[in-house]
Amino acid sequence: MNIPLLLETENVSYIIGNDAIEKSPIKFRQYKRIIVITDENVEKHCLPIFKQKLPSLIIDGVITIISGEENKSIHQLIYIWNELTRLNVGRDDLIINLGGGVLTDIAGMAAATFKRGVQFINFPTTLLGMVDAAIGGKTGIDFARFKNQVGLFINPSCVIIDPIFLDTLEDLHWQSGFAEVVKYGLIMDRELWQKLEGKKYKDVEDWNSVIIKASKDKIDIVRFDALENGIRKNLNFGHTIGHALESFYLKSGNPVTHGMAIAAGMICESWLSSKIFTLECTRLESIVKMIDLNFNRFDFSESDISRIMQLMKQDKKVRKKKQNFSLLRKIGKAVHEVEVEDQLIIESLEFYINRKKCN
Ligand code: GLY
C-alpha cells in the first residue's frame, strides 16, 4: 500500500508520494469556493486526472493561462487578476495552482497579491515542479527581459506532490527535472547520487522514492533558509554558468530547457570545484559521465565564450567584479559564495566544449 509522506513545517504542509492527492488531509469544505489556475496543456492532460482523484471536489472556476517561460509575464499576471476579479474571488476562497514551474511561479504571485492574499495550494505536475519550483515560496514573473525580475517569497499553505502526473510528461520535461534531481545528489545527498549514478533517467526504477528524497532535500534547505541568505544558495550549483547558457541560447533564437542548461553548468562548475576544492578527478569524471549519459552537449564554440561571460555578469549572484558560485567540496557537500576569477570560468567552458580530461 502507498502511504504518502506528510511533512509539517512552520507554515507549510507537504504531502509527497503516490496517491498524495486522494490521501491528503486537506479539508476543502472549509473554503467557500475552489478556483483552479492552470495552463492549456495541463488543463488537457492533468486536470482530468486531478478531478478523477477528487471526485467529490466542486470546482467553482478554472483560469487557464498560456504555458511557457515566455508567457511568465505581466500580461498574464494581469489576465489572472482580471479573471479573479470577474469570478469575485475572496479571501475565504482557495486557489489551487495546478501545473509546472512557470504556472506555480505566476499563479502563486497572483494569489499572494490579489486582495492582499488568497490562500493557495500547489499541485506540481512536472518533475521540475515537484522537486523544485513548487517548494520554497519563490513566486514571480519575468520582466524587462530578466528572469524572475519581479516577485515575492510567499508560501502556499500546502504542497501536494503526486507522481501520477509524470505519466503525462514529454521527454524534454523529464530531462529538465532530472538535472535538478541529480543536483540534490551532488550538493547534499550522497545516497541519492549513489542511487542515480550511471543511470539514464528512463532506467530509474522507483521514481516515487526518488521524488520523495529530492523534494525532502529541498524542504530541508528552505525550512532553514527561506529567504536565501545562506544555505539555500547551495541550490544554485550549476546555475551560474547554466543561466548564462540558457540566456545565450534564448537570445540566439534557439532556446534550450532549463535542465539542459543546468546540466552543462554542472559539468563546468564541477570542473571549477576540482580546481578550487578537493573534488577528485575520478569524482569529476563520474559526474561528467552521468550528465553525458542523459544530456547532449551544447555546440557553442570558443568564439562564443566572451558573450557567455557577458551574460553571466548580469546574473543576480554577481558580487563586485568576481563571479560568485556555489561549488562542490565533494559529492554530497556544497559550499556557497565562492568567488571565482574570470580566467578560470573561461577554462571551465573550454573544458566543456573540448571534452577535456580532468588533470
Ligand atoms: N530553485 C532554487 C530555489 O528555490 O532557491
Side-chain angles (χ1 to χ4, degrees), residues 101-293:
V102 169
L103 189 283
T104 52
D105 275 12
I106 189 169
M109 183 171 176
T113 49
F114 190 74
K115 294 191 181 168
R116 298 201 174 94
V118 177
Q119 285 214 55
F120 64 102
I121 296 182
N122 284 344
F123 286 80
T125 57
T126 61
L127 180 56
L128 187 77
M130 291 178 195
V131 299
D132 185 14
I135 301 167
K138 281 187 178 174
T139 69
I141 53 168
D142 302 339
F143 187 71
R145 289 182 290 114
F146 291 104
K147 234 179 120 141
N148 302 323
Q149 183 78 339
V150 183
L152 62 162
F153 281 102
I154 179 94
N155 269 300
S157 48
C158 191
V159 183
I160 314 271
I161 300 174
D162 192 326
I164 183 86
F165 297 120
L166 295 178
D167 294 339
T168 66
L169 278 192
E170 289 168 8
D171 280 359
L172 265 185
H173 285 114
W174 267 107
Q175 206 192 25
S176 194
F178 192 57
E180 298 288 353
V181 176
V182 170
K183 184 192 76 180
Y184 292 115
L186 293 174
I187 64 168
M188 64 187 290
D189 190 342
R190 212 180 149 77
E191 202 185 303
L192 178 60
W193 167 256
Q194 282 164 347
K195 199 174 163 98
L196 301 174
E197 192 182 359
K199 286 208 176 88
K200 288 191 178 177
Y201 74 89
K202 286 187 176 164
D203 299 333
V204 174
E205 281 137 26
D206 184 5
W207 271 106
N208 186 49
S209 68
V210 170
I211 285 167
I212 291 176
K213 226 169 166 346
S215 53
K216 203 169 157 295
D217 286 339
K218 174 132 189 202
I219 295 162
D220 282 345
I221 286 200
V222 298
R223 72 201 298 180
F224 284 112
D225 179 19
L227 300 181
E228 203 174 8
N229 293 318
I231 194 174
R232 186 167 181 168
K233 293 181 183 169
N234 286 354
L235 296 174
N236 294 328
F237 171 65
H239 284 60
T240 307
I241 293 179
H243 276 159
L245 291 170
E246 202 176 349
S247 301
F248 173 77
Y249 282 101
L250 185 68
K251 286 176 201 294
S252 53
N254 188 15
V256 296
T257 64
H258 177 71
M260 282 163 81
I262 293 329
M266 287 195 291
I267 291 187
C268 299
E269 295 183 21
S270 296
W271 182 84
L272 289 175
S273 304
S274 76
K275 291 291 154 197
I276 294 172
F277 297 114
T278 46
L279 185 74
E280 297 153 19
C281 263
T282 49
R283 301 281 180 238
L284 170 62
E285 275 163 12
S286 63
I287 296 170
V288 173
K289 197 168 156 200
M290 168 71 179
I291 293 174
D292 280 340
L293 196 63

